[in-house]
Amino acid sequence: MCESYDVDPDGDLLIILPSTEGAFALWNDSDDLEALPDVPESDPGVGIISSPSTTDEETPLASYTSPSPLHLKVSSKHLILASRRFKKMLTGNWEEANIIHQDGCRHVTLEGFDPTALKILLDIIHGKTRKVPRDLSLEMLAKVSVLVDDFECHASHILQLSYAMWVSLGH
């Protein structure tokens, strides 16, 4: 079964996020690298960070797992305005720009991103500010930041306002 999230019910682009299993960042109290859990090297969203004050209960594994694919219906116009990556992808001579599927949408598959962070970023880009959490954990702020960097959304003023709000609340 697939989870659907309509950021823009009239959108013309379907972002497909396959099911994800993995950690955003692994925390390890020891300096012994052999004590780290086994993680496939091909997992694109995994980094290893050592923190002196993290316990096993704080390991951020559960929030990055999505057992089923996520389909997000969005406006390509919003993404083109906010993201240099999507502008290149959706206006160039790429498959994502030129093929319209039976559902009437173009499709883009993204891998290695946290589903919750992706929903937050897309809600911000589409001006759905009432859906955007007023407070984020440091981990979620990092996950949104990874997306902003990957999508090249650095110049988006609405993102700057959200970051200013989150940072002023203590992050």
Side-chain angles (χ1 to χ4, degrees):
M1 182 86 190
C2 173
E3 178 188 349
S4 293
Y5 186 75
D6 286 347
V7 179
D8 181 351
D10 297 323
D12 59 342
L13 180 67
L14 189 67
I15 295 178
I16 301 165
L17 186 66
S19 51
T20 55
E21 295 179 16
F24 171 70
L26 298 177
W27 301 96
N28 182 14
D29 286 336
S30 83
D31 291 330
D32 181 12
L33 292 179
E34 291 182 23
L36 292 172
D38 290 331
V39 177
E41 289 184 25
S42 63
D43 192 342
V46 176
I48 299 173
I49 299 173
S50 189
S51 170
S53 62
T54 306
T55 64
D56 288 340
E57 291 81 31
E58 296 171 329
T59 303
L61 296 175
S63 66
Y64 194 60
T65 301
S66 176
S68 61
L70 174 62
H71 288 187
L72 302 111
K73 194 169 189 182
V74 298
S75 162
S76 64
K77 300 272 189 213
H78 282 82
L79 288 176
I80 288 169
L81 287 171
S83 164
R84 287 180 35 195
R85 178 181 176 192
F86 277 98
K87 182 176 184 176
K88 292 174 196 171
M89 185 188 315
L90 297 173
T91 60
N93 193 22
W94 304 99
E95 179 179 317
E96 296 88 352
N98 298 309
I99 295 178
I100 298 178
H101 295 266
Q102 289 180 348
D103 59 7
C105 294
R106 295 179 283 172
H107 291 186
V108 171
T109 300
L110 301 175
E111 294 187 33
F113 297 112
D114 180 82
T116 303
L118 183 57
K119 288 178 185 179
I120 291 169
L121 179 60
L122 292 172
D123 281 336
I124 292 169
I125 289 172
H126 284 75
K128 308 274 183 168
T129 55
R130 291 186 186 262
K131 289 184 169 184
V132 177
R134 299 294 174 242
D135 192 20
L136 291 183
S137 68
L138 186 56
E139 179 183 353
M140 187 55 65
L141 184 59
K143 291 176 181 181
V144 172
S145 297
V146 166
L147 284 164
V148 168
D149 187 54
D150 190 82
F151 293 177
E152 300 178 57
C153 297
H154 305 105
S156 175
H157 296 297
I158 193 162
L159 284 170
Q160 292 173 0
L161 292 172
S162 296
Y163 273 110
M165 174 185 63
W166 293 326
V167 170
S168 72
L169 290 173
H171 297 294

